[in-house]
Amino acid sequence: MGTKGRDRSREMRAARAAELAREKRRHTILRIVGAVVIVGLLAAIAIAVAKSISGDDKPVATGKVVAPANVEDSGGFLVGDPAAPVTLELYYDYMCPACGAFEATNGEELSRLIDDGTLQVDLRVMAFLDEQSRGTEYSSRAANAYATVADADPDHVWDFHAALYANQPTEGTEGLTDDQIAELATGAGVPADVAGTFTDGIHRGWVAQMTQDAFGAGVDSTPTVKIDGQIYTGDWSTPGELTKAIEAAAAGAE
């Protein structure tokens, strides 16, 4: 990740963090705790609903499955040094509010750990909250855009990922328009000709397949975080706690 990219990501995450801080000041601590619990329940409920779409209690992947280049056979896109001692798998949906809170709390630290060679992040995109965007299928559109960048401009995936969360729409709204998604991409360094293909939806079938595969692998809430293959059950909502777990894993790998 280049210096300009890091600065851009830092600015976007800082803006998102400032927005969250303003929201916190408008609520009491009790209401904040309650909101976090509700967010987690809503995310779990949303996945349960998606899993029940088909008769066998799994979502159905439709459309031609075109995997983007530069992703693993598992469907993950790897960010960071392959020789990093720790790998963090992250399952997420771009409309998921808890995922947005995770990014605002931990995104800057994850970037630092990637840059210093401690961490490799394995991004596992999902799209199960389409029903929460008033018919615009925002989750799938955003995930397809991510996959398109992974295919054609992998160097800017992490910055684009950060931009989508720094500008995350509220669950239950129509979400960002295709033009707004493309604008975020070009602002993150993605060439305009790549962003111009987002509306082709080339990778939407693949996104649906990855979502189905995640359900099949037992992912039942987002964000789901794994450190070296083990689900992280600690407190990611408190700044620094996830970093401590990653650094402990790195120390244990030495």
Side-chain angles (χ1 to χ4, degrees), residues 3-56:
T3 300
K4 291 184 178 179
R6 288 196 299 271
D7 290 343
R8 187 182 300 111
S9 296
R10 185 176 297 110
E11 291 171 359
M12 290 186 294
R13 291 187 175 106
R16 178 64 173 166
E19 179 184 349
L20 290 175
R22 288 194 294 271
E23 292 177 358
K24 288 181 180 179
R25 286 195 291 269
R26 290 195 291 266
H27 299 279
T28 65
I29 293 176
L30 180 60
R31 292 184 65 185
I32 291 173
V33 172
V36 170
V37 172
I38 290 171
V39 163
L41 289 173
L42 286 175
I45 290 170
I47 288 187
V49 170
K51 291 179 69 174
S52 67
I53 291 176
S54 66
D56 63 353

Side-chain angles (χ1 to χ4, degrees), residues 140-156:
S140 289
R141 289 188 295 113
N144 173 76
Y146 148 86
T148 302
V149 175
D151 180 78
D153 187 29
D155 288 344
H156 290 110

Side-chain angles (χ1 to χ4, degrees), residues 18-242:
E19 179 184 349
L20 290 175
R22 288 194 294 271
E23 292 177 358
K24 288 181 180 179
R25 286 195 291 269
R26 290 195 291 266
H27 299 279
T28 65
I29 293 176
L30 180 60
R31 292 184 65 185
I32 291 173
V33 172
V36 170
V37 172
I38 290 171
V39 163
L41 289 173
L42 286 175
I45 290 170
I47 288 187
V49 170
K51 291 179 69 174
S52 67
I53 291 176
S54 66
D56 63 353
D57 202 35
K58 294 180 181 179
V60 177
T62 59
K64 185 177 180 180
V65 177
V66 180
N70 307 304
V71 299
E72 302 297 295
D73 291 342
S74 64
F77 179 86
L78 303 179
V79 182
D81 188 346
V86 180
T87 296
L88 182 145
E89 290 177 44
L90 177 62
Y91 293 82
Y92 61 94
D93 183 307
Y94 283 116
M95 180 61 100
C96 167
C99 299
F102 174 90
E103 170 68 16
T105 302
N106 301 288
E108 184 65 24
E109 275 295 276
L110 293 183
S111 289
R112 181 184 68 79
L113 292 166
I114 289 169
D115 288 345
D116 70 16
T118 300
L119 180 68
Q120 182 178 60
V121 173
D122 184 350
L123 292 173
R124 304 293 188 98
V125 72
M126 299 176 69
F128 60 88
L129 290 175
D130 278 341
E131 292 184 357
Q132 299 299 318
S133 55
R134 300 184 180 181
T136 73
E137 299 184 336
Y138 176 73
S139 290
S140 289
R141 289 188 295 113
N144 173 76
Y146 148 86
T148 302
V149 175
D151 180 78
D153 187 29
D155 288 344
H156 290 110
V157 166
W158 188 243
D159 290 337
F160 181 44
H161 174 82
L164 285 170
Y165 276 121
N167 296 273
Q168 185 184 41
T170 301
E171 189 179 35
T173 67
E174 293 182 354
L176 304 177
T177 66
D178 292 330
D179 287 344
Q180 288 172 323
I181 294 173
E183 184 177 353
L184 290 179
T186 56
V190 176
D193 61 340
V194 174
T197 67
F198 290 170
T199 54
D200 294 343
I202 295 172
H203 301 295
R204 287 189 59 156
W206 176 81
V207 168
Q209 183 66 60
M210 291 303 98
T211 302
Q212 178 175 313
D213 289 352
F215 290 146
V219 174
D220 60 3
S221 63
T222 55
T224 287
V225 181
K226 296 182 180 182
I227 297 177
D228 291 336
Q230 300 299 312
I231 293 179
Y232 173 67
T233 58
D235 178 16
W236 57 256
S237 65
T238 298
E241 290 301 306
L242 180 59

